[in-house]
């Protein structure tokens, strides 16, 4: 469903910087793929190109057969709203609003009635087990709850591809586990395709496959198989071969 073909990215500036070189990546529908690599290796750059936040310098990206970078502005806005969901490290919730208001925020652009939006928020909260916090404001909830609210918001339009950049980066191990369990459940029940950028080997071990990049280039990929514990170990091993500071072992939580 996602095809990244020979994608390179050069940031222009006083000194041009080549952040990605000839990246090829195919993600099948329903797959849950992790992207790891040292800091500065180009993970966020790759995610942003797929998210259409930025444009590749060369190469092509297609999502469900559509190259979003070729769409006109309005079509692109619609495409992003329908096909893509985003989750970031810092939750990006609006602080004056309740969790419920945050979750329905993307729907306010659809011209739906308040009743319809409330219903949808309750449905999704029920499914994701966060009904208890719907009426709370963002300062009244924990980081893990905030991130689960952000995931609910990202899922409101049932996107075909969910893109997450370090969603557990600000969370402790318990809250990280909660968020990863939630993503895993969504992937299994909704068949949502997922791409997760992370430094955390435990979070990455929830993926079906992890792709490693180094210095903007593909390095290797490993597949999960049946045991998450064994996969976790394989991830740690690959990270230590990879070098750099992509594997801050002080942060490892098993
Ligand atoms: N807008 C930009 N302009 C110029 N250079 C950039 C820009 N964004 C990123 N870079 C550079 O591109 C390289 C890759 O950055 P990127 O953010 O993709 O790394 P990353 O793998 O996500 O790192 P981290 O793990 O620290 O988040 C870095 O050297 C960074 O300094
Ligand atoms: Mg990054």
């Amino acid at each position: 469903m996602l095809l990244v073909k020979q994608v390179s990215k050069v940031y222009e500036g006083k000194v041009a910087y080549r952040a990605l070189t000839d990246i090829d990546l195919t993600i099948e529908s329903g797959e849950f793929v992790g992207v790891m690599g040292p800091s500065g290796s180009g993970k966020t750059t790759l995610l942003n190109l797929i998210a259409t936040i930025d444009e590749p310098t060369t190469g092509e990206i297609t999502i469900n057969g559509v190259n979003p970078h070729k769409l006109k502005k309005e079509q692109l806005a619609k495409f992003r709203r329908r096909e893509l969901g985003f989750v970031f490290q810092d939750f990006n919730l609006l602080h004056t609003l309740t969790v419920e208001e945050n979750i329905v925020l993307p729907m306010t652009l659809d011209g739906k009635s308040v009743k319809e939006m409330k219903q949808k928020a309750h449905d999704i909260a029920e499914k994701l087990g966060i009904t208890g916090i719907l009426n709370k404001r963002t300062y009244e909830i924990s980081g893990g709850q905030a991130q689960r609210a952000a995931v609910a918001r990202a899922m409101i339009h049932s996107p075909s591809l969910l893109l997450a950049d370090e969603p557990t980066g600000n969370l402790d191990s318990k809250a990280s586990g909660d968020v990863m369990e939630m993503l895993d459940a969504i992937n299994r029940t909704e068949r949502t395709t997922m791409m997760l950028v992370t430094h955390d080997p435990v979070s990455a071990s929830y993926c079906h496959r992890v792709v490693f990049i180094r210095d903007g280039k593909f390095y290797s990929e490993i597949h999960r198989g049946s045991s998450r514990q064994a996969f976790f170990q394989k991830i740690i091993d690959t990270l230590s071969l990879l070098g750099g500071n992509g594997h801050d072992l002080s942060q490892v939580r098993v």
Side-chain angles (χ1 to χ4, degrees):
M1 70 92 53
L2 171 71
L3 250 172
V4 174
K5 225 163 102 187
Q6 288 288 300
V7 161
S8 298
K9 176 68 184 177
V10 176
Y11 287 112
E12 304 294 348
K14 267 194 205 130
V15 186
Y17 185 83
R18 173 172 280 274
L20 289 176
T21 306
D22 298 340
I23 296 288
D24 283 310
L25 175 67
T26 303
I27 299 186
E28 303 297 337
S29 186
E31 238 193 320
F32 188 173
V33 175
V35 177
M36 300 189 86
S39 185
S41 57
K43 303 178 298 294
T44 296
T45 299
L46 177 61
L47 196 93
N48 286 348
L49 297 180
I50 296 168
T52 72
I53 291 167
D54 204 351
E55 297 213 351
T57 306
T58 55
E60 202 178 66
I61 294 170
T62 58
I63 299 168
N64 286 328
V66 175
N67 180 341
H69 297 282
K70 285 192 177 154
L71 296 176
K72 298 221 173 65
K73 212 172 150 194
E74 267 168 40
Q75 284 176 301
L76 177 62
K78 207 186 249 178
F79 177 87
R80 291 183 63 172
R81 210 141 27 91
R82 293 214 178 131
E83 303 284 340
L84 305 179
F86 307 96
V87 183
F88 302 98
Q89 179 166 0
D90 49 8
F91 324 135
N92 279 10
L93 298 173
L94 293 184
H95 291 300
T96 50
L97 304 182
T98 63
V99 166
E100 179 180 345
E101 286 162 347
N102 267 286
I103 292 175
V104 300
L105 209 56
M107 286 184 89
T108 55
L109 293 167
D110 297 339
K112 295 266 195 309
S113 71
V114 171
K115 195 172 159 227
E116 217 172 325
M117 291 199 284
K118 269 190 169 300
Q119 185 60 50
K120 187 94 195 253
H122 277 267
D123 289 350
I124 199 150
E126 181 100 23
K127 209 184 278 178
L128 300 180
I130 54 166
T131 25
I133 57 166
L134 275 183
N135 294 320
K136 297 206 174 192
R137 298 198 180 261
T138 51
Y139 54 79
E140 298 171 317
I141 58 177
S142 69
Q145 288 171 329
Q147 193 59 295
R148 281 182 287 152
V151 172
R153 182 184 55 189
M155 290 305 298
I156 196 92
H157 281 112
S158 313
S160 46
L161 177 62
L162 188 72
L163 300 165
D165 196 351
E166 306 275 6
T168 60
N170 283 336
L171 304 178
D172 63 27
S173 73
K174 166 74 172 70
S176 294
D178 291 346
V179 168
M180 290 314 301
E181 296 280 347
M182 185 187 207
L183 291 176
D184 180 54
I186 292 170
N187 170 256
R188 279 185 288 106
T189 57
E190 313 289 310
R191 308 288 303 141
T192 309
T193 310
M194 296 194 179
M195 182 167 156
L196 167 81
V197 166
T198 185
H199 279 116
D200 175 26
V202 180
S203 296
S205 69
Y206 284 83
C207 298
H208 304 156
R209 168 163 66 111
V210 176
V211 174
F212 296 85
I213 59 178
R214 181 165 75 177
D215 302 331
K217 297 188 185 106
F218 173 84
Y219 176 78
S220 69
E221 73 174 11
I222 55 176
H223 290 256
R224 170 160 156 182
S226 53
S227 155
R228 190 163 75 80
Q229 188 60 41
F231 191 40
F232 168 78
Q233 196 53 52
K234 265 210 281 192
I235 292 167
I236 297 282
D237 294 345
T238 310
L239 287 174
S240 58
L241 287 173
L242 188 62
N245 50 3
H247 66 301
D248 183 356
L249 290 174
S250 64
Q251 284 185 14
V252 169
R253 314 169 287 242
V254 195

